[in-house]
């Protein structure tokens, strides 16, 4: 703003303002186009050579993939509702915003790998692995509709996003395995790796406006900063550098009793350094010299409207430089953070077989040091002892009963701790980190019966119980004007359930079905997180709320099944699979508003692969045959309020590969 004022009578500053304002792209709105077909190419080569009388294995490969995705919510919706009180009607669900959305994504990827493995002195092995991946995501989105949070009257919001997100990862790993004869035949395994990754979002663009429809069909357009953000450009850069080292020593004992008797000791060290920066530049217009927005983004962001748009002569003969749209630095300090995550762990465990029992007991000590520095500082510094105990009873040669108990933990990632706010489009949800997050402790108890009727077959039933201390959830911030979601801890939570697994050949029905295999997995789960007293006091106005809610992302019912046909003689392999989940919590409501759930969605997939002439292999696949919609919704008073719904569409794929032997 200050530069805009100084530029009025200073030619040098006016030139800087004009140059910088025109240095960014003038394309601020998406356009419609047809995408190509998803496609991918892959090539790999490997061989074994003799080096000094020892085998050296070499493998190298490269792959390229490009995929497209899109949805159009013309027939669906993107909405948010809030529970409000009406003096005469009581509690009502009011629509806060309701959009029609379109979005398209172009996702090219390229990757490669290079592996070396060398075996020497009979039992020693060293391996080097290099993995590289680079992918980009070009996205354009447009949404329009009513927004009672931002706009007044009958005004309609139009919101646009143009983004380019580029990710790169390079991993270097060195591992070794050595036999130590003098230590009772012990084995030493070690490894070290360096992983460098980055994510860049250059010139992420947001542009929103509102309009009012007139009775004659014309529109009055507005870009009002009191209602919506002015057009702006953003640059986001994230760099991660991670180092990892580990070692495991296995020492056998009492081998004359059982080959399974052994002690195992080890350590792990992992360090991650992150640097994240977001730059934000807003297009402002203080002198009102810009031609008003009339519904054409190309015209509004043209050369004639950006930078110095004209030069006037004052009564004193001086030149006065008139600016149109100009860039203003609106970078926020909290959207730059530096983070470090350092994990050090030591463990010891023992396995002992006695008659039909196998006992595995041990403990792990983990030191967690997480630090995030921004406008606010978040840190986690803890030392946790994590014991575990497992008991297996071999009832018969092919039947086991297993019981186990353990203590584990879960840590928030650096993004969840950093006080950084992000959103997908102007007028949508805002997601904000929390520097006060704590790590989660989990107590696990499992009981499992398993039977292996024949090789490759399994029948199993499992039961489990998990108790969570300080589980991490996401909730709306009550005092926020816009729907702002924040990561937070609850005091406690629980998950328990049963699981049934079956893998069985159908040959027992008839010999003609010998090549068919059937597998299924069924889980019935109950999860609950306690709601803290502060939130209970707010949501108590909603009589449909209890004092707990499910874990985010956890369904009460999961079902997976597949029918596989495989014939080695015919070179044929086919799979028909079906998956289903019950509703699962995605976002917690605010001020007593019902929570948002992703609704059940069945998925049926089929693939068939054929090998012919020994070297060729062809594959055809179809995914989401039932074409089930993606839908999230809220429920109140026996009615469903759809938040997002769109068809996912069917996906067809074909591939051809050739192997040189």
């Amino acid at each position: 703003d200050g530069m805009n004022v100084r530029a009025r009578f200073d030619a040098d500053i006016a030139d800087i303002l004009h140059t910088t304002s025109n240095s960014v792209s003038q394309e601020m709105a998406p356009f419609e186009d047809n995408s190509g077909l998803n496609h991918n190419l892959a090539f790999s080569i490997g061989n074994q050579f003799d080096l000094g009388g020892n085998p050296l294995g070499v493998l190298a490969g490269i792959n390229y993939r490009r995929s497209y995705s899109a949805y159009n919510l013309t027939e669906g919706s993107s909405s948010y509702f809030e529970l409000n009180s009406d003096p005469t009607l009581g509690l009502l669900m009011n629509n806060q915003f309701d959009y029609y959305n379109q979005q398209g994504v172009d996702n090219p990827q390229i990757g490669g790998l290079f592996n070396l493995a060398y075996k020497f002195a009979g039992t020693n092995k060293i391996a080097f692995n290099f993995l590289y991946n680079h992918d980009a995501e070009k996205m354009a989105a447009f949404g329009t509709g009513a927004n009672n949070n931002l706009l007044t009257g009958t005004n309609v919001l139009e919101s646009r996003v143009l983004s380019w997100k580029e990710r790169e990862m390079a991993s270097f790993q060195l591992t070794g395995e050595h036999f130590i004869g003098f230590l009772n035949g012990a084995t030493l395994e070690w490894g070290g790796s360096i992983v460098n990754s980055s994510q860049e979002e250059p010139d992420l663009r947001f542009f929103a406006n509102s309009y009012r429809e007139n009775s004659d069909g014309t529109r009055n357009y507005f870009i009002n900063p009191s209602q919506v953000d002015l057009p702006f450009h953003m640059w986001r850069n994230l760099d991660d550098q991670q180092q990892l080292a580990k070692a495991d020593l296995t020492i056998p004992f009492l081998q004359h009793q059982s080959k399974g008797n052994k002690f195992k000791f080890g350590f792990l060290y992992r360090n991650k350094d992150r640097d994240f920066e977001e730059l934000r530049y807003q297009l402002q217009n203080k002198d009102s010299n810009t031609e008003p927005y009339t519904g054409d983004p190309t015209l509004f962001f043209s050369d004639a409207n950006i930078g110095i748009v004209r030069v006037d002569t004052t009564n004193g003969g001086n030149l006065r430089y008139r600016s149109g749209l100009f860039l203003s630095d609106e970078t926020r300090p909290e959207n730059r953070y530096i983070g470090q995550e350092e994990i050090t762990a030591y463990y010891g465990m023992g396995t002992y077989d006695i008659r039909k029992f196998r006992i595995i007991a041990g403990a792990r000590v983990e030191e967690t040091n997480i630090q995030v520095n921004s406008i606010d500082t978040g840190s986690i510094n803890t030392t946790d002892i994590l014991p575990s105990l497992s008991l297996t009873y071999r009832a018969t040669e092919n039947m086991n009963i297993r019981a186990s108990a353990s203590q584990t933990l879960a840590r928030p990632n650096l993004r969840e701790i950093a006080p950084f706010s992000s959103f997908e489009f102007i007028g949508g949800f805002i997601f904000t980190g929390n520097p006060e997050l704590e790590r989660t402790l989990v107590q696990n108890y499992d009981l499992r019966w398993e039977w292996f009727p024949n090789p490759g077959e399994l029948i199993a039933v499992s039961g489990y119980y998990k108790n969570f201390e300080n589980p991490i959830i996401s909730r709306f911030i009550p005092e926020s004007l816009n729907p702002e979601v924040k990561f937070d801890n609850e005091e406690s939570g629980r998950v328990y359930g049963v699981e049934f697994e079956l893998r069985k050949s159908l040959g027992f029905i008839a010999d003609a079905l010998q090549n068919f295999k059937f597998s299924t997995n069924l889980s019935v789960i109950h999860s609950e997180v306690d709601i803290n007293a502060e939130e209970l006091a707010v949501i108590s106005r909603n009589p449909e709320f209890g004092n707990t809610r499910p874990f985010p992302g956890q369904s009460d019912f999961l079902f997976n099944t597949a029918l596989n046909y495989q014939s080695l003689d015919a070179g044929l392999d086919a799979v028909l699979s079906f998956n289903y989940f019950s509703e699962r919590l995605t976002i917690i409501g605010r001020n007593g508003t019902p929570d948002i759930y992703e609704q059940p969605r069945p998925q049926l997939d089929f693939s068939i692969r054929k090998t012919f002439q020994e070297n060729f292999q062809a594959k055809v696949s179809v995914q989401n045959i039932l074409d089930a919609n993606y839908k999230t919704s809220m429920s109140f008073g026996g009615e469903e309020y759809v938040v997002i719904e769109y068809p996912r569409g069917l996906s067809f794929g074909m591939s051809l590969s050739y192997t040189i032997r």
Side-chain angles (χ1 to χ4, degrees), residues 79-134:
S79 306
Y80 178 65
F81 301 83
E82 281 202 354
L83 190 66
N84 294 313
S85 299
D86 186 282
T88 58
L89 301 177
L91 293 175
L92 296 173
M93 290 284 282
N94 291 338
N95 195 331
Q96 297 303 105
F97 61 74
D98 188 2
Y99 299 140
Y100 291 126
N101 284 357
Q102 293 174 278
Q103 178 175 295
V105 178
D106 181 0
N107 181 207
Q109 305 172 50
I110 189 169
L113 61 88
F114 178 72
N115 297 337
L116 288 174
Y118 184 61
K119 190 175 182 179
F120 60 97
T123 56
N124 296 280
K125 184 172 69 174
I126 293 179
F128 171 76
N129 300 311
F130 169 72
L131 181 66
Y132 176 80
N133 189 68
H134 191 119

Side-chain angles (χ1 to χ4, degrees), residues 245-297:
K246 66 174 185 176
D248 300 283
L249 178 64
T250 303
I251 305 175
F253 73 97
L254 298 178
Q255 292 291 285
H256 64 282
Q257 292 184 4
S258 173
K259 296 298 183 180
N261 293 342
K262 58 188 177 182
F263 291 114
K264 195 169 184 178
F265 306 93
F267 86 93
L268 177 142
Y269 175 80
R270 187 178 73 225
N271 182 75
K272 177 190 288 185
D273 292 294
R274 171 173 294 179
D275 193 339
F276 176 83
E277 181 180 38
E278 178 187 271
L279 304 176
R280 175 171 174 165
Y281 298 95
Q282 201 166 58
L283 282 167
Q284 298 194 14
N285 179 23
K286 295 297 183 181
D287 283 348
S288 300
N289 299 305
T290 307
E291 290 296 322
Y293 180 65
T294 58
D296 185 349

Side-chain angles (χ1 to χ4, degrees), residues 224-466:
N224 188 343
S226 65
Q227 295 180 335
V228 299
D229 288 317
L230 295 175
F232 61 92
H233 299 252
M234 296 172 65
W235 277 258
R236 292 175 179 162
N237 297 289
L238 182 149
D239 288 296
D240 275 350
Q241 295 184 345
Q242 179 172 282
Q243 304 85 37
L244 183 144
K246 66 174 185 176
D248 300 283
L249 178 64
T250 303
I251 305 175
F253 73 97
L254 298 178
Q255 292 291 285
H256 64 282
Q257 292 184 4
S258 173
K259 296 298 183 180
N261 293 342
K262 58 188 177 182
F263 291 114
K264 195 169 184 178
F265 306 93
F267 86 93
L268 177 142
Y269 175 80
R270 187 178 73 225
N271 182 75
K272 177 190 288 185
D273 292 294
R274 171 173 294 179
D275 193 339
F276 176 83
E277 181 180 38
E278 178 187 271
L279 304 176
R280 175 171 174 165
Y281 298 95
Q282 201 166 58
L283 282 167
Q284 298 194 14
N285 179 23
K286 295 297 183 181
D287 283 348
S288 300
N289 299 305
T290 307
E291 290 296 322
Y293 180 65
T294 58
D296 185 349
T298 302
L299 180 63
F300 184 66
F301 295 102
S302 65
D303 289 339
N305 252 12
I306 296 178
I308 302 301
V309 295
R310 74 172 189 271
V311 181
D312 296 336
T313 303
T314 65
N315 291 333
N318 297 318
L319 297 179
R320 182 184 178 100
Y321 299 91
R322 301 287 189 177
S323 63
L325 296 171
F326 67 93
L327 279 183
S328 173
D329 189 350
E330 301 293 330
T331 301
R332 300 174 180 176
E334 64 268 25
N335 286 5
R336 161 76 191 274
Y337 69 89
I338 298 174
Q340 182 184 34
E341 180 182 79
E342 187 179 53
I343 310 298
T344 306
Y346 310 88
Y347 78 90
M349 60 176 287
T351 301
Y352 182 63
D353 288 345
I354 177 171
R355 297 185 178 89
K356 290 189 173 185
F357 291 91
R358 168 168 288 186
I359 303 171
I360 304 174
R364 183 180 182 94
V365 179
E366 291 201 7
E367 298 179 8
T368 302
N369 294 285
I370 299 176
Q371 185 85 17
V372 176
N373 296 314
S374 180
I375 194 172
D376 199 357
T377 299
S379 64
I380 297 177
N381 299 285
T382 62
T383 299
D384 297 292
I385 300 176
L386 309 173
S388 65
L389 175 64
S390 174
L391 178 65
T392 300
Y393 173 66
R394 294 184 291 273
T396 66
E397 290 185 358
N398 56 0
M399 185 183 299
N400 298 322
I401 299 175
R402 303 177 184 271
S404 64
S406 64
Q407 170 88 58
T408 57
L409 61 81
R411 305 177 184 89
N413 61 44
L414 296 175
R415 166 64 184 91
E416 292 171 338
I417 298 177
F420 163 57
S421 298
S422 62
F423 51 89
E424 296 182 354
F425 62 94
I426 295 175
F429 294 151
I430 300 172
F431 295 88
T432 302
N434 181 3
E436 298 180 0
L437 280 180
E438 302 177 19
R439 59 93 174 90
T440 302
L441 289 176
V442 188
Q443 294 86 44
N444 309 277
Y445 306 94
D446 299 87
L447 182 64
R448 176 181 175 88
W449 171 83
E450 56 190 18
W451 178 34
F452 305 93
N454 296 295
E457 297 183 347
L458 169 68
I459 300 175
V461 179
S462 306
Y464 53 88
Y465 178 88
K466 300 177 183 292

